[in-house]
Amino acid sequence: FHEITPFTGLSIRGSVGVDRNTGKRTTYLPKTTLYGAKESGKASISTKERLDLLTNVVATYSTKLVDKHSFSAMAGYEFQRFEINGFGATNSDFLLDSFHWYNLAPGGAKKPTVFSSGGVESMASYFGRLNLSVSDRHLLTTTMRADGSSKFARNKKWGYFPSMAVGWRITEEDFMETLKPALSNLELRISYGSTGNANIGYIVTGK
């Protein structure tokens, strides 16, 4: 990540993250097992790769107003891309158990299995937040998100999710002075908003 401060109160932070995972699974059921005896030995091998890319840019501005009033604003953009690929094969009816999964070709199954799969998903988000504090007692927060996913139909890729919250920091009131040694912070907060998700699985690009 990298962060800059063009002037007092404003900071801009950008970050990039990459996460790559590779997995391999191998199995062999010998003829000495109940299921392996039915298949006359069964071998399988599969691999799976996943690549996640995340990048975002966030700008934050905060300032003190008169007395104990303060204001802050945040705006940002985020992009995520996920790729997944897999491949595998199985065979059975082996003459010897010694082949294991190292060599599937000697298997005599009538229909040995070979499969592959892949999926790609991308998401983009614009978001912003405004905070206003009056006398360190009365708080107002408004947020807005616009999230788009490649999974959805062309004319329905974006969703918009607003929210608002108001708070009252009761411990800052004069009548709470006697309780401050025992109670560091007491706040009443009410919020309302909407949210969503794109958890509908990957888009399969090959099989």
Side-chain angles (χ1 to χ4, degrees):
F1 73 92
H2 184 66
E3 185 171 351
I4 61 174
T5 305
F7 54 85
T8 302
L10 176 65
S11 65
I12 302 174
R13 178 188 173 103
S15 64
V16 176
V18 178
D19 186 11
R20 182 168 186 173
N21 295 293
T22 301
K24 181 179 180 180
R25 183 178 182 181
T26 56
T27 60
Y28 181 73
L29 300 175
K31 300 176 185 180
T32 55
T33 64
L34 180 61
Y35 190 81
K38 292 180 180 180
E39 297 283 342
S40 191
K42 184 174 182 179
S44 65
I45 183 170
S46 62
T47 62
K48 186 177 182 180
E49 293 184 352
R50 178 186 171 100
L51 177 65
D52 299 346
L53 171 66
L54 170 65
T55 180
N56 61 44
V57 178
V58 179
T60 304
Y61 176 74
S62 60
T63 184
K64 286 285 186 180
L65 304 177
V66 294
D67 296 330
K68 294 183 178 181
H69 309 328
S70 62
F71 169 81
S72 67
M74 180 272 288
Y77 170 78
E78 184 174 86
F79 177 79
Q80 295 176 278
R81 180 181 173 87
F82 310 96
E83 296 183 18
I84 186 169
N85 293 283
F87 173 82
T90 63
N91 206 348
S92 59
D93 193 13
F94 290 91
L95 181 62
L96 301 172
D97 281 336
S98 57
F99 289 108
H100 291 282
W101 54 82
Y102 300 113
N103 189 355
L104 299 183
K110 293 181 179 179
K111 292 183 178 181
T113 303
V114 178
F115 64 90
S116 63
S117 63
V120 178
E121 173 192 349
S122 59
M123 293 184 65
S125 302
Y126 296 92
F127 48 88
R129 182 179 67 231
L130 298 176
N131 290 316
L132 179 63
S133 175
V134 178
S135 300
D136 287 338
R137 300 176 185 177
H138 309 295
L139 313 171
L140 172 65
T141 301
T142 61
T143 63
M144 181 66 183
R145 287 189 65 95
D147 298 320
S149 173
S150 61
K151 293 181 178 181
F152 299 132
R154 182 175 300 176
N155 59 340
K156 294 184 178 181
K157 289 189 179 297
W158 288 89
Y160 302 93
F161 309 103
S163 68
M164 176 177 289
V166 292
W168 175 29
R169 192 170 290 138
I170 303 173
T171 44
E172 295 300 317
E173 297 291 349
D174 294 339
F175 60 81
M176 294 292 293
E177 283 294 330
T178 57
L179 295 178
K180 279 189 175 181
L183 189 64
S184 60
N185 185 51
L186 176 63
E187 180 181 331
L188 176 65
R189 186 178 181 89
I190 301 174
S191 62
Y192 177 82
S194 62
T195 186
N197 71 79
N199 190 21
I200 59 175
Y202 282 90
I203 300 174
V204 176
T205 58
K207 188 173 182 180

